[in-house]
């Protein structure tokens, strides 16, 4: 029998016949039907049965029209039965072992699609032909279906307005997933091979969506080995989608539906958390989740994903912030040593801000002897009294300079993180350091005996802030030099040859080009370096006069010292405190050398810069020297050498100040000694008889023991200072050295752990090279201060 149907792929009219009911077109018979047996329903071909493996392939789409025969041709190319596993061969080998997959492949089909796949005659009045009713029981009210009870988790859902939500429930029902997993674990061995049709239909039944063959995995393929072994072998075969008569829009939609049906372990909560981290890490506005383009993009990835609102993201942000804060609190609480703080001022990005923020970071060395820097507080430092709009929108009272300043923010952080007795030092920018609130804070901490050596190492000036203020004093001369360079660049950029030469100079020297928002003096320094390297590479060209060239060289040396100091101290990798002294000493030495310039204006500029630097040095040389003493490559001998060369005969008082500070600090780390032979919790001030002696008669003995023990402990410091210096190496790790020598110097290693964590700069590396300083995203600045703090802190913690 010739099967003439609209399903034939190579359709061609061969004639027309006429009868009483109408005309009927005749079409050429396709050769594919030599390999399949058609299955008719209501007089039309609905599917095709492979004559080799007896798999049923759909021939109708969701719209009831033919979906062509290209998928039938593709199946013939991969049909294993056609290549040698014919029915006769299987019947001869009745003892062939095989695994029966108890999971019906039809269960993997999206339920809605089954309404369109009619492989058997159905009743016109059937209300429950959808496969979704395999997982639900209908619930009737007055003879009408009003609800559906899940047979797995027994949850009742409404069923009077469609069943799409029932399909979604089957995809996410945890009870159904567990049943499916348990069902798949069952392995059935039979003594005889079932019919060829049932075996290969179980193996190769494709996942169908709206009548189309979609991407599916086929497992448990039976491959014949060279030795004739017919044991089951795991293999994955891919059935490609039938693309005939399917446009790109239908294909994309169908693929998304298939992915949603196969992803039964989709975790909505985990997706929200990852989305929240994405927004935090890249500084996106919270409202990005409400952008229509973002919603469409998320749906294209997973139709089951329901995009959160900005309010939802804010709630997830708060939860993540609280979790990370709790973890960090526990980590700091477990530290047996002190924590240093740094305070900087932040402002919203863009125009002049109506408020400023105080950012407080904790610096400490963790249990693995790694230096850590973590933001622990972000609060309002100052706000404009005229910021009426912010008061209305966020109900935040204005913070006046005279009312609070940094005191409340820092004090609240110390109390919140339990740092009263673990506080070591505070490094801050000038706006905070010179505030009356900071002085009030120091007095409070000293009175409560919270700071070592009565706060002598407290309230350290931010080096980046100091360097910028010193460079600012030479602004007139620096701008004059900048104008000279600007004329040189304009003259040489007009020629393609010299323009190429300039680019080659920058490339070969490895100079880092500053960003557009870089600090003004960073740009001048970069141009100075480019000019001098260009002059060296092309000495024959007349660039500037001899006097101007000399001035340029002198200014470049000064700015180079400042730039490298800022780059090292405020770099992306937090440095230990032992490197600060040498970097700042280079700045001091450079200023001394350039002070003898013959150029009057340049000499005056250097003199003013020297005065500002010396003022900083007088207030900071002690705390800068102590970490160097704790560097086993230098110790106190290096400080003596440097200070004697700098101050000559007056150097001794500076060296003595450093020695005294180290001994007082070490003495405090030795700690108060417990009274031996008595319980301190029950020790009373009044006279208590004890073995015939009263307590007063033993006080002198206790003092003698304490003095003797302290003398033994001080010997530890003396031994360290008297021990020889270790060789200097480029890869020397000072923290690793103290960790390995903590047994030899137990008390000194604890002190070194706190001292080496002291920061010299309060700003991060981005702000150190940025002309605007520390800023937050403009769209974040419109949020409530609690939300801003959660965003800034969490971003720092999860990076």
């Amino acid at each position: 029998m010739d099967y003439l149907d609209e399903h034939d792929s190579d359709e061609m009219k061969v004639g027309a016949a006429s009868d009483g009911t109408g005309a009927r077109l005749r079409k050429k018979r396709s050769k594919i039907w030599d390999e399949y047996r058609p299955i008719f329903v209501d007089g039309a071909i609905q599917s095709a049965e492979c004559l080799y493996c007896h798999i049923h392939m759909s021939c109708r789409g969701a719209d009831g029209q033919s979906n062509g025969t290209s998928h039938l041709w593709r199946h013939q190319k991969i049909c294993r039965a056609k290549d040698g596993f014919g029915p006769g061969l299987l019947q001869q080998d009745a003892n062939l072992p095989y695994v029966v997959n108890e999971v019906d492949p039809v269960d993997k089909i999206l339920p809605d699609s089954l309404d369109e796949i009619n492989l058997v005659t159905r009743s016109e009045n059937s209300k429950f032909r959808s496969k979704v009713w395999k997982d639900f029981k209908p619930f009737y009210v007055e003879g009408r279906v009003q609800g559906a009870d899940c047979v797995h988790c027994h949850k009742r859902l409404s069923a009077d307005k469609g069943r799409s939500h029932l399909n979604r429930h089957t995809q996410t029902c945890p009870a159904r997933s567990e049943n499916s997993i348990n069902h798949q674990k069952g392995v059935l061995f039979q003594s005889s091979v079932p019919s060829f049709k049932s075996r290969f239909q179980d193996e190769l039944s494709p996942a169908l969506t709206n009548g189309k063959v979609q991407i599916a995995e086929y497992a448990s393929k039976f491959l014949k080995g060279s030795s004739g072994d017919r044991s089951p072998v795991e293999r994955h075969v891919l059935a490609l989608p039938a693309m005939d008569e399917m446009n790109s829009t239908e294909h994309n939609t169908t693929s998304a539906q298939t992915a949603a049906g196969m992803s039964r372990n989709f975790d909505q909560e985990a997706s929200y958390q990852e989305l929240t981290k994405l927004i935090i890490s890249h500084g996106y506005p919270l409202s990005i989740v409400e952008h229509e383009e973002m919603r469409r993009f998320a749906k294209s990835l997973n139709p089951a994903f329901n995009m959160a609102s900005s309010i939802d993201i804010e709630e997830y942000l708060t939860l993540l912030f609280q979790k990370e804060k709790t973890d960090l609190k526990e980590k700091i609480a477990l530290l047996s040593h002190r924590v240093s703080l740094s305070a900087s001022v932040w402002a919203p990005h863009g125009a002049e801000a109506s408020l400023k923020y105080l950012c407080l970071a904790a610096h400490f060395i963790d249990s693995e002897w790694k230096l850590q820097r973590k933001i622990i507080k972000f609060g309002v430092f100052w706000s404009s009294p005229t910021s009426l709009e912010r008061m209305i929108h966020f109900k935040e009272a204005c913070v006046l300079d005279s009312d609070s300043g940094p005191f409340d923010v820092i004090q609240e952080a110390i109390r919140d993180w339990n740092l009263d007795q673990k506080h070591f030092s505070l490094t801050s920018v000038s706006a905070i350091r010179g505030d009356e609130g900071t002085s009030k804070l120091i007095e409070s901490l000293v009175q409560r005996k919270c700071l070592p050596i009565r706060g002598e190492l407290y309230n350290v000036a931010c080096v980046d802030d100091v360097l910028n203020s010193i460079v600012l004093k030479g602004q007139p001369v620096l701008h004059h030099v900048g104008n000279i360079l600007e004329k040189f660049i304009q003259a040489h950029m007009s020629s393609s040859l010299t323009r190429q030469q300039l680019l080659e100079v920058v490339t070969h020297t490895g100079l880092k080009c500053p960003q557009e928002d870089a600090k003004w003096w960073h740009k001048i320094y970069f141009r100075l370096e480019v000019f001098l390297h260009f002059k060296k590479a092309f000495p024959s060209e007349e660039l500037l006069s001899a006097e101007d060239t000399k001035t340029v060289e002198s200014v470049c040396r000064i700015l180079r010292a400042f730039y490298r100091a800022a780059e090292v101290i405020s770099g992306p990798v937090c440095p230990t405190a032992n490197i600060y002294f040498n970097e700042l000493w280079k700045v001091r030495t450079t200023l001394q050398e350039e002070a003898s310039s013959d150029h009057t204006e340049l000499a005056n500029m250097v003199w003013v810069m020297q005065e500002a630097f010396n003022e900083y040095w007088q207030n900071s040389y002690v705390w800068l020297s102590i970490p160097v003493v704790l560097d086993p490559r230098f110790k106190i001998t290096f400080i003596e050498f440097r200070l004697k060369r700098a101050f000559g005969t007056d150097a001794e008082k500076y060296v003595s100040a450093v020695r005294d500070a180290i001994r007082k600090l070490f003495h405090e780390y030795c700690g108060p000694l417990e009274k031996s032979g008595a319980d301190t919790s029950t020790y009373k001030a009044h006279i208590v008889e004890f073995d015939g002696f009263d307590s007063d008669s033993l006080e002198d003995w206790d003092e003698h023991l304490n003095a003797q023990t302290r003398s033994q402990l001080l010997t530890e410091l003396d031994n360290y200072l008297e021990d020889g210096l270790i060789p200097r190496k480029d890869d020397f790790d000072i923290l690793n050295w103290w960790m390995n020598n903590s047994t030899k110097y137990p008390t000194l290693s604890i002190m070194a752990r706190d001292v080496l964590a002291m920061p010299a700069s309060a700003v991060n590396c981005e702000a150190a090279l940025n002309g605007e300083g520390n800023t937050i995203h403009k769209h974040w600045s419109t949020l409530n201060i609690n939300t801003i703090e959660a965003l800034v802190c969490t971003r720092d913690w999860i990076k």
Side-chain angles (χ1 to χ4, degrees):
M1 175 181 178
D2 290 348
Y3 304 113
L4 305 174
D5 193 84
E6 66 270 25
H7 289 283
D8 296 344
S9 60
D10 43 352
E11 299 178 351
M12 184 177 71
K13 297 178 181 180
V14 296
S18 175
D19 55 20
T21 59
R24 180 180 178 184
L25 296 178
R26 300 288 296 173
K27 302 179 183 180
K28 182 181 176 181
R29 179 181 181 273
S30 174
K31 292 183 179 181
I32 192 62
W33 293 108
D34 294 337
E35 318 289 337
Y36 289 86
R37 182 176 66 87
I39 297 177
F40 292 87
V41 176
D42 296 336
I45 295 179
Q46 295 293 328
S47 62
E49 180 183 2
C50 178
L51 296 178
Y52 303 97
C53 66
H54 300 283
I55 185 174
H56 285 234
M57 310 289 287
S58 172
C59 294
R60 293 283 173 181
D63 54 1
Q65 300 297 319
S66 167
N67 61 359
T69 58
S70 57
H71 61 295
L72 305 182
W73 286 105
R74 283 195 295 270
H75 172 71
Q76 288 303 310
K77 293 180 181 179
I78 65 172
C79 181
R80 287 286 178 180
K82 184 178 180 180
D83 295 335
F85 290 90
L89 180 60
L90 289 176
Q91 291 171 1
Q92 294 174 9
D93 194 354
N95 295 323
L96 176 66
Y98 78 106
V99 178
V100 176
N101 185 3
E102 294 187 54
V103 180
D104 187 356
V106 178
D107 287 340
K108 301 297 184 182
I109 303 174
L110 291 177
D112 270 346
S113 65
L114 294 179
D115 286 357
E116 309 298 337
I117 305 174
N118 302 312
L119 300 182
V120 296
T121 305
R122 67 173 187 266
S123 171
E124 289 288 328
N125 298 322
S126 175
K127 296 182 179 179
F128 306 109
R129 60 181 179 270
S130 174
K131 282 290 183 178
V132 74
W133 292 107
K134 293 179 62 176
D135 298 295
F136 288 90
K137 292 181 180 180
F139 174 73
Y140 294 89
V141 177
E142 296 180 357
R144 296 176 62 86
V145 177
Q146 297 293 328
D149 295 336
C150 178
V151 299
H152 305 288
C153 66
H154 308 292
K155 182 177 181 179
R156 176 169 296 176
L157 300 117
S158 63
D160 58 338
K161 295 181 180 180
R163 57 183 177 274
S164 299
H165 60 296
L166 303 183
N167 291 332
R168 290 193 295 271
H169 177 78
T170 59
Q171 296 170 16
T172 59
C173 179
R176 185 178 188 273
S177 300
E178 293 176 3
N179 294 338
S180 176
I181 294 173
N182 295 333
H183 190 57
Q184 292 181 28
K185 291 181 179 179
V187 179
L188 176 62
F189 293 91
Q190 296 185 358
S191 58
S192 61
V193 179
S195 68
F196 184 87
K197 173 180 177 180
S198 64
R199 171 183 172 183
F200 279 91
Q201 188 167 348
D202 283 346
E203 291 177 12
L204 300 178
S205 294
L208 303 177
T209 303
N210 295 332
K212 303 289 183 177
V213 181
Q214 298 298 322
I215 296 176
E217 276 196 344
Y218 303 144
S220 305
K221 301 295 167 289
F222 301 92
L223 304 178
K224 184 176 180 180
S226 57
S227 61
D229 181 18
R230 302 172 186 267
S231 59
V233 180
E234 286 289 330
R235 177 170 180 144
H236 298 285
V237 181
L238 187 64
L240 299 176
M243 295 299 295
D244 296 52
E245 301 178 359
M246 180 186 290
N247 58 38
S248 59
T249 304
E250 292 174 345
H251 172 61
N252 293 338
T253 304
T254 307
S255 301
Q257 292 173 347
T258 304
M262 297 176 65
S263 179
R264 298 190 181 277
N265 293 326
F266 170 66
D267 192 338
Q268 185 86 27
E269 294 296 317
S271 298
Y272 284 160
Q273 293 174 9
E274 292 301 321
L275 178 59
T276 304
K277 291 181 180 179
L278 173 69
I279 293 173
I280 295 171
S281 300
H282 295 277
Y284 298 143
L286 302 187
S287 60
I288 191 175
V289 297
E290 296 173 351
H291 295 174
E292 184 61 30
E293 296 80 4
M294 184 67 174
R295 291 181 177 273
R296 287 202 303 266
F297 174 70
K299 282 293 183 183
S300 70
L301 297 178
N302 191 339
F305 177 70
N306 295 319
M307 180 59 75
S309 66
S310 59
I311 297 177
D312 296 331
I313 294 298
E314 191 169 350
E315 291 177 355
Y316 278 95
L317 163 66
T318 303
L319 293 174
L320 180 60
F321 167 69
Q322 294 297 341
K323 175 185 176 299
E324 295 293 334
K325 182 177 181 179
T326 301
D327 294 343
L328 184 58
K329 266 189 173 183
E330 293 178 355
K331 183 177 182 179
I332 294 179
L334 294 175
L335 297 177
S336 58
H337 46 278
R338 292 178 176 267
V339 175
S340 291
L341 301 177
S342 64
S344 58
V345 176
W346 291 42
H349 185 273
E352 185 176 353
S354 60
L355 75 164
K356 294 181 181 179
Y357 306 97
L358 189 149
C359 180
L360 194 68
H363 303 252
F364 58 92
I365 297 174
D366 60 18
S367 58
E368 297 179 356
W369 285 83
K370 302 296 182 183
L371 184 58
Q372 302 289 342
R373 178 190 181 276
K374 301 293 182 182
I375 296 176
I376 62 172
K377 183 65 179 177
F378 196 86
V380 176
F381 169 59
W382 169 87
S383 64
S384 171
T386 60
S387 184
L388 178 62
E389 294 80 8
R390 187 171 186 86
M391 292 175 59
I392 295 174
H393 286 302
F394 307 109
K395 298 180 176 58
E396 294 176 354
C398 293
V399 182
L400 303 179
D401 291 337
S402 58
D403 293 340
S404 174
F407 178 79
D408 285 347
V409 179
I410 299 177
Q411 183 66 21
E412 180 184 350
I414 293 175
R415 184 168 52 251
D416 183 26
W417 290 77
N418 298 318
L419 299 179
D420 295 73
Q421 301 301 322
K422 303 181 74 169
H423 198 182
F424 188 78
S425 70
L426 172 67
T427 302
S428 57
V429 296
S430 57
I432 298 175
R433 187 167 178 265
D435 192 274
E436 294 181 0
T438 305
S439 302
K440 179 181 176 182
L441 176 65
I442 297 174
E443 294 176 2
S444 173
L445 293 173
V446 170
Q447 289 177 359
R448 289 182 287 147
K449 299 182 179 180
C450 298
L451 300 178
I453 55 177
R454 297 187 60 81
E456 292 183 21
L457 304 179
Y458 202 78
N459 203 15
V460 175
C462 173
V463 168
D464 185 76
D465 199 36
V466 171
L467 294 179
N468 286 324
S469 63
I470 295 175
V471 173
L472 194 62
K473 295 183 179 301
Q475 188 174 13
V477 176
L478 296 180
H479 278 305
H480 172 68
V481 173
N483 292 334
I484 296 175
L485 296 175
E486 188 70 25
K487 294 178 182 178
F488 158 76
I489 294 174
Q490 290 177 358
H492 288 75
M493 288 297 286
S494 59
S495 169
S496 59
L497 176 61
T498 53
R499 183 166 59 248
Q500 183 64 29
Q501 291 173 342
L502 282 172
L503 295 177
E504 290 179 0
V505 167
V506 174
T507 302
H508 287 91
T509 56
L511 295 174
K512 184 178 180 182
C513 182
Q515 300 295 328
E516 286 294 326
D517 57 353
K519 292 179 178 177
W520 62 273
W521 66 270
H522 288 182
K523 295 179 180 180
I524 294 177
Y525 163 65
F526 173 75
R527 293 175 180 180
L528 287 169
E529 290 284 15
V530 171
F531 170 80
L532 293 177
H533 281 86
F534 185 87
K535 183 176 181 298
K536 184 178 180 181
F538 305 99
S540 60
E541 295 194 24
E542 286 293 333
L543 304 177
L544 296 176
S545 64
E547 183 179 356
D548 287 342
T549 300
K550 188 175 181 181
T551 302
V552 166
E553 291 175 345
S554 181
V555 172
C556 186
R557 283 191 291 269
I558 295 173
L559 293 185
R560 184 186 297 133
F562 279 83
Y563 181 84
R564 291 184 177 178
E567 191 177 38
V568 172
I569 295 175
S570 302
V573 179
C574 294
T576 48
N578 58 305
I579 72 168
Y580 304 149
F581 183 96
N582 195 46
E583 293 300 324
L584 294 173
W585 188 265
K586 294 177 184 177
V587 174
R588 183 181 183 279
T589 303
T590 301
L591 291 176
Q592 282 184 331
E593 292 173 353
E594 301 302 326
S596 58
S597 173
D598 297 333
H599 194 288
T600 305
E601 292 184 2
L602 180 62
N604 292 336
M605 181 197 77
V606 174
W607 182 83
V608 173
M609 296 173 74
Q610 270 189 303
E611 288 293 316
F613 183 85
N614 289 337
E615 181 182 355
Y616 164 76
W617 185 262
Q618 290 291 334
N619 297 325
S620 307
Y621 79 92
V622 173
W623 86 262
L624 289 171
S625 301
I626 292 177
V628 179
V629 175
L630 296 175
D631 189 330
R633 299 170 298 174
F634 301 108
K635 300 184 179 180
I636 192 67
T637 54
F638 179 80
I639 299 299
E640 292 175 345
F641 170 76
R642 284 294 187 212
L643 295 182
K644 285 181 180 178
R645 295 193 63 177
F647 303 110
T649 56
D650 295 334
E652 185 58 34
K653 65 177 182 179
Y654 295 101
V655 176
S656 298
V658 175
R659 287 183 180 274
D660 292 343
I662 292 175
R663 291 196 173 273
K664 285 193 296 183
L665 185 62
F666 183 77
H667 179 78
E668 288 194 12
Y669 272 83
C670 293
L673 301 176
E674 295 290 334
K675 295 179 180 294
S676 58
D679 185 356
T680 57
S681 61
T682 59
Y683 190 85
K684 305 297 181 182
H686 58 271
I687 298 175
V688 179
E689 295 292 334
F690 180 71
D691 291 341
F693 295 92
D694 58 55
S695 59
D696 289 337
S697 63
L698 299 176
E699 285 184 0
D700 56 346
W701 170 248
D702 292 335
E703 292 177 0
H704 171 71
L705 292 179
N706 290 342
Q708 190 177 40
T709 305
R710 287 194 181 93
S711 177
Q712 294 174 355
L713 290 173
L714 288 173
T715 304
E716 178 185 329
L717 175 61
D718 294 332
N719 290 339
Y720 166 77
L721 296 176
E722 292 172 3
D723 287 345
L725 303 177
I726 67 172
R728 289 188 293 113
K729 296 181 180 180
D730 294 337
D731 59 346
F732 175 73
D733 187 341
I734 189 171
L735 297 181
N736 186 63
W737 188 91
W738 277 108
M739 179 180 65
N740 295 332
N741 288 271
S742 57
T743 304
K744 183 177 181 181
Y745 308 112
T747 306
L748 203 57
S749 64
I750 296 175
M751 187 178 90
R753 201 170 192 168
D754 295 344
V755 171
L756 293 175
M758 292 179 64
S761 177
V763 300
N764 52 35
C765 58
E766 294 86 0
L769 303 177
N770 190 293
E772 295 184 357
N774 289 299
T775 60
I776 64 172
H777 299 284
K778 190 174 183 179
H779 42 259
W780 281 9
S781 63
T782 59
L783 301 172
N784 184 277
I785 183 58
N786 294 328
T787 305
I788 297 175
E789 180 182 21
L791 285 166
V792 174
C793 292
T794 308
R795 183 183 185 184
D796 178 69
W797 297 338
I798 66 176
K799 66 181 179 181

